[in-house]
Amino acid sequence: MSAVAQAVQTPTIPWAAISPELVLFGAGILVLLLDTAGGNRRTSAAVAFVALLGVAGLVVATGEDVAAAVPVVIAAAAILQLALALALSRRPRLLGAVLAVLGFAGCMLAAAWQWWAATDGSLVATETLLSGTVAVDGVALFTRMTVCVAGIVTVLLGFSYLEDRRVHRGEYYPLLLLSATGMTLLASAADLLMVFIAVEILSLALYVMSGFAKRDLASQESAFKYFLLGAFSSAFLLYGIALVYGAAGTTNIAAAGRALAGFEVPAAFGIAAVGLLLVGLAFKVALVPFHMWTPDVYQGAPTPVTGFMAAATKAAAFAAFLRVFADGLAALQWTWVPAVGVLAAATMLAGAILAVVQDDLKRMLAYSSVAHAGYATMGLLALSQEGTAATMFYLLAYAVMSLGAFGVLGVLERRQRKAIAVADLRGLGQRAPLLAGMFALFLLSLAGIPGTAGFMGKLAVVRAAVDADHIALPVVLVLSSVVAAFFYIRVIVAMFMEDEPAELADVPVPASTGSAAGLSAAAAGVVVLGVVPPAVIDLAQRAATFAG
Amino acid sequence: MMAVSALAQASIVTAPAGSPAAWAWLLPVVPALSAGVLLLGGRRLGRGAGWLAVAISAITLGMAGWLVTWLAARPPGQRRVTHTVADWISAGELEVGWAVLVDPLSAAMLLLVTGVGTLIHLYSIGYMAGDERFSRFFGYLNLFLAAMLVLVLGESLLVLFVGWELVGLCSYLLIGFWFDERPNASAAKKAFVVNRVGDVGFLVAMFVVFGAVGSLSLTQVLPAADTVAGGLVVAVGVLLLLGATGKSAQIPLYVWLPDAMAGPTPVSALIHAATMVTAGVYLVARMSPWYAQVPGVGMLVAAIGAATALVAALIACAQLDLKRILAYSTISQLGYMFMAVGVGAYGAGVFHLLTHGFFKALLFLAAGAVMHAMGEHTDIRVMGGLARAMPVTAVTAGLATLAIAGFPLTAGFFSKERILAATADTDGGAALLVVGLIAAALTAFYMARWFWLIFMGRPRWGRGAAPIPADAGRSTAPPPPRDLHPHEAGWTMAVPLVLLAVGSAAGGLLTVGAEHGLLAQWLAPSVVAFESSAHLIGHGLLQAIAITLALAGLAAGAWRYRAGPVATSPASAPVVGFARDAFRVDALLRAAVVTPGRWLAEGAVWVDTHVIDGAVNGAARLTRGLAQGGRQLQTGLVRGYALAVLVGAVVVLVLLARTNLTAAVFGALGAP
Amino acid sequence: MAELPLLSLLIALPALGAVALALLPAGAVGAIRWVALAAAGATFVVAVVVLAVFETGEAGFQLGEAQPWIPQWGIAYRLGVDGISLLLVLLTTLLMPLVVLAGWNQQHRTKGFFIALLAMEAAMVGVFLALDLILFYAFFEVMLVPMYALIGIWGGVARRYASIKFFLYTLIGGLLMLVAILYLYWAAGAVSFNYATLQAVALSETEQLWLFAALFVAFAVKVPLFPLHTWLPDAHTEAPTVGSVILAAVLLKIGGYGFLRYSLPLFPEATATLAPALLALGVVGVLIAYSSVSHLGFVILGAFALNGIGAAGSVVQMVNHGLSTGALFLLVGFLYDRTHSREISAYSGLLTATPVLGGLFLVTVLSSLALPGLNGFTGEFPILLGTFQSAPWAAVLAALGVVLTAIYLLWAYQRMFHGPVTGHAQGLSDLTGREIAVIAPLVVLMLGIGLYPEPLYERVNPSVQRVIAEYADVEAADTAPAAPPASRDDDTQGVGR
Amino acid sequence: MSLAAGYVLGLAAALFAVGAVGVLVRRSAVVMFMCVELMLNSVNLTLVTFSRVNGDVEGQVLAFFVIVVAAAEVTVGLALIVNLFRLRVSTDADQVDVLRA
């Protein structure tokens, strides 16, 4: 009996298992509805009230299946929403932002609860969740956490930025939450179908967010390129899924992996299937040569969106990458590990080298994100729990430092109202020592200097790779890091070692609570992960071993 | 063939507690402390600084005397004592202590150093009076004394080397004492650097010794000579010789000494005539058991000595500067000493060392007095007739001139004769003997020239100055002022002159008595002398020849310069000019060493900037180039990106399909 | 006393000092200086206490501390001190208060300046004390940042080029070292980066050669060894005085220290194989006439002579070079403070104009050119002697380097200090009391060590013997493959009292 | 695998290739987008064929999902293209190259 048929026959939906997604999605819908209420107090209250009723109805309808705690949590969240909606109805953007933060926080709570419940055994086994399309395992949970952290910081950093650029429209927060929903779903997708759907959910929202500055040609171009190439690569992914389905008779990742495990070299289907899946996922994580969209899209998109893309999308895509390749297709490693190894090496080098000649900082960081994708791939290639843990840890580390770096750029763009080039940073160390210091911290972390998250991340992946007998990749990483250090250093040089040009001297450096909080959080993350990471490493390692 | 003397070296014993030898370490410490005081706070002492230094020097003389008396009272076999004060360096197996070795050889040197040192300290009070760095000068002098005593007393080669280097430092400081003038500073640096070249030999010799013996302590090194492989002994001998040629200004490393005359004259007397420059001789004598193993190396020492004696004497004949003449004379006399120690006549060598210490110090001091009188002029062509104005100086200097020329019964006569006799008694010493005799004659000639042009004849200064022949020299030094009134300096300068003159005259007493002379007998426990069966010429006849040559040289010098400087005849002009330029050795060295060295340095810089930095910058440029290339691909056209995706897909498929191939490539890069 | 984590204090005090400075307002220049001085001074006091507690004659690590840091990866916070690190720590902590004093009048971004100094000190001390390889690496790399800032922010005209060059050179070496460390860890098969554990790993000679090469780059850049030295002249030219002092006096020692602490003990066969090549590089270093390159070439010679004399000498040489070069750069700095010119040709007759400066400068120069009786000689001689025992040619060539050193140092001294008083020298004021106070301890130590280096050697010898003992093993292994020596078993017990 | 299935799969592959090449060679953003849709639909065809070969409905279910997703893509994509057209008065993809290098 097929999985779908089974789902039809027993329509018990394990709400608890997908509660994080539900929270995000629900928050997104709620913000959207409240936004349509347009600041009208009564309408807002009504919307919130209806949402409350809806949640209650859901709880009642599926009561017996849900663990006792869930309705209470959800109800409490709904009440909070109502209160907030009433309090902030005059400031809908702030309401959206607060609700988004709460949504991300709720998602994290739900994920934490899941983790706790799963170790307790009270959660449904992964195999049967939504007909096996969703897995609640460590990778999913850890990635959800990363995505939510990224989401919160993005909201904090984005608020003033969007205000300043006058593109602070209501649908921003719903889109953010929806794309995050896609990401968390992608992270937990156990079925290729779910992978595809999740990829589309997150991408569609991001396409729109990239083009959020409607009057800005760069933003529009970014969205257009992202969209067209995203769709193009989705087709490859989809074709790969279809071929897997044809070859294995199933789209369930684990089952397909088992079915394909025995295939031999001439089986063109199998090779094409694996290859096209690889293309689709490599596009999402931006491995060379599927990276070419990254600089253009990152550069054109509004900076907070760029940060979110760099941090969260990467984490989610790697989670899927891990699940499909390191987990599902592990038995076929002899086919794809060399290929991915070559791609990873090319990615590390090309990302670093191409960044060297960039003057636009956003573009430089975009290329640097390419290089970092290569580093993270090293953990995946180790094909071990250590490696999985390392990749996840790396992605969290990369999330905090890239969010921080893009966040600083966002602040600076508010100051100068233009794209920031290296020369624009001259003398920043004297004018705004704290901001410059933080930027330097993020850059040093990206460069992998000890005492920062970036170092621990690199240590994790290199260690995993060496453990797995890969010596060439760490050497490539070293080369790449040296080249990369050059351009990070160049920025620090400009900030601290050059004098501020006269035309910049009069422009004040803007400050806002949100960005201050966001940057501080990112900086704290960088330092904590760099100096006392054992707790997070522990979490990542447990996540890697915890199959749900 | 020479054979090792049957007289075995006395063994080295530890100094009895409380004995003078156990306190010998104070000898260098006292002047060192005094030097510290003088250098740090001497300015406040004013003229007292000089007297303090003199007192300290006298104290060391007293201590040395006490020590030597004590030593002399011991039986000859017990006259080599050591005393260890403290550990110094213990790195791994290397253990060197601060220890002194008192034996007849060091005792003789002690007396010379402290004795002449004290006299020159005293002389300097007058000579340096009024100098703005008066106290510093005496600080340096005391420091030198300390260093020289370390050199003499060092029980291990390394401690000896410490003294060796420190005297070099003092020499550097004192040559460049009037550093405001660039040439002085350059001369100081040259002295230091050339000495350092020699030091490489000393250093490497120590390495070899340590490798062979496992210790640098003389107590162990000296007796071990006959247990060490012959090749190593030769190496040590030659390397030490290199060191000695540096310090004692022998060919090829003598070039620094003439320039060293830039220092104040007492310095020339003390350091560059009487004491420091004899360190090389001392070193060879010290290591006599090793040289005794390899007579061939000894002959090399002697040959270098002989060549130096001759060359320096020739140059001295053409010099015009009163101190330079003495400097070349010193080089030449040191050559004599090398000849002596080279043929194993340590007694003769050390004897000449001592007598030379007296009369050469005296000559320099006299020269200093003359310079004082002449307003610091040094060109002997503008002097003459000074005997009348400065009788004491003239008489004492005359005595010293006779002594150095080997006038019968003077100290120099005895010591030089001993050396010539020793060469005559050496197998294969004929050439040495001939060279030695020629040099002796030349010495008499140039010293007569020196004395005559300065003290005798008509004055060529002041109002009644006699004209100087136009081509007598190419020096363009301005003539001294017309209103000169030369006169004797004060008693502090005269007393040392007189005392040294006594030494120069009576130094020969040291040699009366026993077969090889008192001194040789005294030194016997310290050195391994040679005995030789050769007997080229009867000693009586040799003496006669030497006396004849000395007298002839003196007479020739006096006769030729009886009326002042002599115009060079056109035929001999190139020869004289060549000698006056010291055979252009400096220029040769510059061309052979300094210029290639500069090229090498420039080459190294070129390699740094072009090759190494070039490689670094090249790597950066390559990166940048790659990036620019990659940039071209990033066209901004979405269709191009799609193409990249498609191409990438094909590449991935190929990689997957050709797994074996990929694995081969990847594996080569990867796992071990 | 025994209960205090002395070694941690050595790292923590300057680090806390830096944090305290960060919290002070930038304008409070007086407070900033005094806090910096107090932190550096207190660290030195602790270092002296460590010296007092240190048991001379013990070969192993003392005062050990060990705390898990990242237990999952086997990384621990593990410190210990032996004769080798003790001296270098003392040197570092002694110099830092002096450096703070020397930079007393720093006007430009005072706060950041002193923060960088203290951060530097914490990292450098950490490098010397770390006994966990990742911890070592972390300190090693972290050190880069403040040094980079010191050159880049407070440096001369071409400071940017110099600082970037410095940064990249060091980073390349560091990263290669990281890979090597990880490989070693992998080869050990134990989840531990403990120095003792990794030292016990048996590696094939090929592996050793590769790992040696990786570490070599890291340390050779620091030393710096030909041909990886070209960053140094640039860095020195551009760095501010105190930067140069730290760079020359301490930072460069890390290369020599690394060779002795890591390369030699970890890869004995590779070291034995490569020693001649290393000696050759050392000789080239000695002969190319950059003062520091040349002096540290001696350190390399001593280390790779692979005998007790040379190795002990090379440790002492590091200390000596720290003192004399530190003093040299400080003096040049004082001069620069007055005239803002570092050109040798801009000076003449300084000895007349500023006798105290000239005298101290001369002592320092003489120490630099290894005049016996001053400290330089007490290190260089054993090095040359030790080198001669294993590679006579290297020792002879290096001895020629001694002459070269004399030539260029005296040339420079003569040009600047002798001759008539002209140019910058006119009207120049002599050293102030503060400046003399900075230099005096160094000069006193130069003399002291020159006359009596035993206190150094007696602490270094046992530790160095332990390193060199490996080579006796190699020779023994060549003749008869025996069980690993007992000393290694002791090592695996880890650090502890 | 039946012969017919092979033909259909081949056709689908050809359609996919046509779509992919279309994206590469066409300059109009709208046509490029339609080519992407063509690629998606060729995959749908593949899915349905496999579904038939495998004898289950999973492939067909998947195809439905793809259709829904494609619809969503159309809404977003067209909106983006329209907005771009507003700014540039052209749908020529080759003129969209502000962001480059």
Side-chain angles (χ1 to χ4, degrees), chain B residues 225-327:
Chain B
D226 48 1
T227 62
V228 175
L232 291 181
V233 181
V234 171
V236 169
V238 173
L239 288 165
L240 284 179
L241 175 60
L242 177 61
T245 56
K247 191 95 341 188
S248 291
Q250 297 295 290
I251 287 176
L253 297 179
Y254 70 87
V255 290
W256 63 272
L257 187 58
D259 290 358
M261 297 303 126
T265 306
V267 171
S268 308
L270 177 62
I271 300 183
H272 304 124
T275 56
M276 182 189 88
V277 290
T278 61
V281 182
Y282 173 74
L283 179 65
V284 175
R286 196 27 108 209
M287 291 297 283
S288 60
W290 287 62
Y291 281 99
Q293 300 291 319
V294 282
V297 178
M299 283 308 279
L300 178 65
V301 176
I304 285 180
T308 312
L310 182 62
V311 168
L314 282 171
I315 296 174
C317 290
Q319 293 298 310
L320 299 171
D321 180 302
L322 88 167
K323 279 177 76 181
R324 268 186 180 273
I325 297 172
L326 295 181

Side-chain angles (χ1 to χ4, degrees), chain C residues 196 199-202 265-266 268 470 473 484-493:
Chain C
Q199 201 187 340
V201 176
L266 292 178
E470 300 280 337
D473 300 346
S487 66
R488 276 195 163 176
D489 297 341
D490 296 342
D491 294 348
T492 50
Q493 307 291 317

Side-chain angles (χ1 to χ4, degrees), chain B residues 159-183:
Chain B
V159 176
L160 197 160
F161 185 72
V162 172
W164 184 270
E165 286 287 289
L166 287 179
V167 292
L169 166 71
C170 295
S171 160
Y172 167 79
L173 293 171
L174 286 164
I175 294 171
F177 187 73
W178 289 312
F179 51 75
D180 315 61
E181 315 248 339
R182 288 252 170 241

Side-chain angles (χ1 to χ4, degrees), chain D residues 50-70:
Chain D
F50 278 135
S51 179
R52 195 169 167 79
V53 171
N54 289 351
D56 61 15
V57 294
E58 206 171 329
Q60 296 173 39
V61 172
L62 237 166
F64 276 114
F65 272 108
V66 174
I67 291 167
V68 173
V69 164

Side-chain angles (χ1 to χ4, degrees), chain B residues 340-439:
Chain B
V341 294
V343 300
Y346 298 102
V350 174
F351 183 27
H352 196 60
L353 188 160
L354 296 177
T355 58
H356 176 256
F358 292 136
F359 55 66
K360 188 52 67 59
L362 171 52
L363 285 170
F364 270 113
L365 295 188
V370 168
M371 281 163 63
H372 243 236
M374 293 297 295
E376 302 306 322
H377 269 271
T378 59
D379 192 331
I380 53 174
R381 288 168 305 167
V382 296
M383 297 179 179
L386 280 173
R388 205 160 312 160
M390 317 174 67
V392 178
T393 309
V395 169
T396 52
L399 204 58
T401 304
L402 292 179
I404 192 171
F407 193 80
L409 299 182
T410 58
F413 167 74
F414 289 110
S415 56
K416 203 174 279 186
E417 190 271 335
R418 283 259 167 235
I419 293 173
L420 292 173
T423 54
D425 289 352
T426 302
D427 291 310
L432 296 176
L433 180 60
V434 171
V435 171
L437 286 170
I438 297 173

